[in-house]
Structure formats: structure tokens, C-alpha cells
Amino acid sequence: MPDRLQMQDPRKQHPAPPFAKQPQPAPGLTRRLTPAADHGEDSYVGTGKLEGRKALITGGDSGIGRAVAIAYAREGADVAISYLPEEQPDADEVIALVEQAGRKAVAIPGDVADESHSRQLPKRAAFELGGLDILVVNAGHQKSFSCFDDVTSTDFDTTMRTNLYALFWTTQEAAKLMPPGASIITTSSVQAYDPSTTILHYATTKAGIVAFTKALASELIKKGIRINSVAPGPIWTPLNPSGGSSQEKVENFGGGSAFGRPGQPVELAPVYVLLASQEGSYITGEIYGITGGAGIA
Ligand code: NAD
Ligand code: MG
């Protein structure tokens, strides 16, 4: 059994702050994180829960999306990932990891804030994989500001388009292609429930994702499709060092959680697997917090 799965104190299981300041340009690369993030490369063990499924994961190159891609492939799914062209080095590693698991991997670079790209994504994935059973809407943009006056219309618009419009476009097209038994998983945030002033536009989109997920659930289940959301707390990914938070916050990232440390992407993968698999057959319209004890009520 991998060390990660041995019984142990979870507070001490992964690195805790202080971390070094580590600015990098958005969207950021996971390979530049110090310490390195754990996406389950050496420790995720699949048990065939997604045998033969076809999955599309937006933002599947790094962070939470990468951990989900690795887990899905090891559970037996073929995987398409979307990401920005600047993230090709991270994407190449994920493609290799999916192929090492013996599954088909499809890379679809492009900007999800562009409507035609977002609408094409599920069609491309279904064409290349031979169907679409799982959609993970995980791509997200987060840029922090020191005060409300500094937020420009362009920043506001980019955040809305990347986090909300892309969700609408991609989900609308995917649902047309999906068979009964399929599953959609959105990625919201603890920010939907406990928003920070410095990222209020981001928090607004995350609250929108919660509402969208709950509202769509009752319609999609009429087609036998489930939709749920995962709401993470502080997770060690490129999102925060690359502009999502100030470097001062990065230095103490996750230090305020009950665990005294941030979560690692691999710690979210099992919930994405549950929600995608037939084990989640009675679960729809739910929001799963993985917040490090902050709660989402
Ligand atoms: P990440 O940077 O590794 O992943 C985000 C991905 O979004 C990027 O890899 C990128 O491929 C994609 N993306 C961003 N803008 C895009 C665009 N215009 N077009 C195409 N792709 C684009 O960081 P992550 O933390 O793994 O983020 C994944 C999700 O988790 C996001 O929705 C984020 O809001 C959410 N989340 C993260 C945290 C955290 O602390 N890291 C907390 C709560 C929620
Ligand atoms: Mg990335």
C-alpha cells in the first residue's frame, strides 16, 4: 500500500507553511511549485470504478484537474483534457501519465472564455474518445486585488467568462451528447460560502456555479444524468502563486485551516471519482466541501 494510504495524522501528511514566495505569470505551471504538488502520480491506486468511461476534464493539465485525470485513467477511463496553449509542458506530462495507465489521452488546447471553443470541447472529446460519459468543469481564473477600486471591467469580464460562461457553454453541449448514467462535476469553492474581498468577482462566480449546479440537477436527472459540485478550500496548485493570491498569502497558504496546511490535489480525487462513478448513483445537485475543516454551510 502506498505511504499516503497508511493510517496517519492527516495534519502532518503534507507540507505546511511557511512556503517561499514564488510568483509566476498566470495561468502558472505546476512544475514550478515549491514544494511540488502531489497529484497522486506515485500513489493513486485505481480499482476499475470507471472502466471504459470517456471523460473530458477542463483545466486537466495541472492542480485539481491533473489529479482527477490521473485518478480517472487509473480507474479505467479514457481522458481528454483542455488547457491553455501556454500550459503545454504541464499538459504533456498528464497525457503521458494517462497513457502510462493504459488509457487513451486526448489534448485539446484553447481558451474556454471563447464561446466557439467551449462549445466545441465536448464534441471534440466525444469524437476522439468515441463518446462522452463524464464532464469535469474545472478550468478557473482567479486574480486577486488589494482593493475593490482596482478591479477593472476586463478583469471582471475574464473571470465571468472563464468561470461561468464556459461552464454554461460546455455543459449545454455535453448534455446533448451524454447517455443515461453520465455525470457532470463542477468545481466551485469555499469562496461561494465565505467570500474574500480581494477576490470578490471570483467568489461571485463560485456562488454562481453552486446555483447553476443545483438548478440544472433537477432537469438533467430526467435524462438520467447527474450533476454535482466539489467546493475546495486552499489547495496547493499554481492558481494562487500565479496571481490568485498575494505572495504574502502564498507564504502562509493553508496555514489558517484546521489542518494547518493546504490540501494537495490528490486529496480531492476520490470525491471526483465517486461522483463520476456508478457508486454515486443516488447523488445529484449536491455540493461536496473539501475545505480542510472550514465547512460550506
Ligand atoms: P490550476 O491553475 O492548476 O487549474 C486551473 C486551470 O484552469 C488551469 O490549469 C488552466 O488550464 C485552466 N484555465 C484557466 N483559464 C483558462 C482559459 N481561459 N481557457 C482554458 N483553460 C483555462 O488550479 P486549480 O487550483 O487546480 O484550479 C482548478 C479549479 O479549482 C478552479 O476552478 C479553481 O477555481 C478551483 N479552486 C481552487 C482552489 C485552490 O485553492 N487551488 C480553491 C477552490 C477552488
Ligand atoms: Mg494549469
Side-chain angles (χ1 to χ4, degrees):
M1 191 194 284
D3 287 349
R4 187 177 61 80
L5 300 178
Q6 302 288 345
M7 189 169 157
Q8 59 195 287
D9 184 338
R11 297 170 301 172
K12 300 190 172 70
Q13 193 168 352
H14 291 287
F19 299 116
K21 288 182 181 166
Q22 45 196 294
Q24 55 166 316
L29 291 176
T30 202
R31 52 173 49 204
R32 293 197 186 136
L33 288 176
T34 312
D38 185 350
H39 311 90
E41 289 90 337
D42 299 325
S43 65
Y44 190 90
V45 182
T47 55
K49 288 196 181 78
L50 300 175
E51 203 61 55
R53 305 288 215 289
K54 320 285 186 192
L56 167 63
I57 305 164
T58 70
D61 57 299
S62 58
I64 297 165
R66 177 186 289 214
V68 175
I70 292 169
Y72 281 9
R74 293 186 187 175
E75 294 288 357
D78 294 327
V79 176
I81 59 166
S82 97
Y83 54 92
L84 284 164
E86 318 72 297
E87 298 174 297
Q88 193 65 48
D90 273 356
D92 287 343
E93 290 177 5
V94 175
I95 295 298
L97 284 158
V98 170
E99 287 175 350
Q100 279 160 26
R103 307 310 313 185
K104 183 166 185 180
V106 176
I108 316 179
D111 183 356
V112 297
D114 176 74
E115 179 169 2
S116 65
H117 177 70
S118 263
R119 287 195 181 278
Q120 277 302 318
L121 270 179
K123 297 178 201 167
R124 266 285 298 283
F127 177 76
E128 305 254 4
L129 298 176
L132 187 64
D133 307 311
I134 303 163
L135 169 66
V136 177
V137 185
N138 165 76
H141 177 75
Q142 178 186 326
K143 185 173 171 188
S144 78
F145 291 89
S146 44
C147 74
F148 179 45
D149 273 352
D150 289 350
V151 182
T152 66
S153 291
T154 306
D155 298 319
F156 195 86
D157 191 52
T158 300
T159 309
M160 292 295 150
R161 290 180 79 82
T162 311
N163 299 3
L164 274 180
Y165 278 69
L167 165 69
F168 164 58
W169 295 322
T170 313
T171 305
Q172 197 170 51
E173 297 306 324
K176 292 176 193 165
L177 303 169
M178 292 178 130
S183 172
I184 298 173
I185 302 155
T186 67
T187 306
S188 47
S189 172
V190 68
Q191 284 289 322
Y193 301 89
D194 185 15
S196 305
T197 319
T198 51
I199 47 172
L200 60 84
H201 49 337
Y202 171 86
T204 304
T205 66
K206 293 295 168 178
I209 293 168
V210 168
F212 182 95
T213 304
K214 287 184 176 175
L216 193 52
S218 53
E219 176 166 331
L220 286 185
I221 198 60
K222 292 176 190 156
K223 298 204 241 176
I225 300 171
R226 297 178 296 104
I227 177 169
N228 294 284
S229 193
V230 175
I235 310 301
W236 190 243
T237 75
L239 192 75
N240 285 281
S242 68
S245 286
S246 68
Q247 290 301 313
E248 289 67 37
K249 286 202 174 147
V250 169
E251 282 183 300
N252 189 38
F253 195 66
S257 87
F259 290 64
R261 65 165 178 89
Q264 291 293 323
V266 68
E267 297 182 283
L268 286 74
V271 174
Y272 282 86
V273 169
L274 166 68
L275 295 175
S277 78
Q278 205 59 32
E279 301 252 53
S281 54
Y282 199 55
I283 307 174
T284 199
E286 305 282 6
I287 316 298
Y288 277 69
I290 310 179
T291 63
I296 56 165

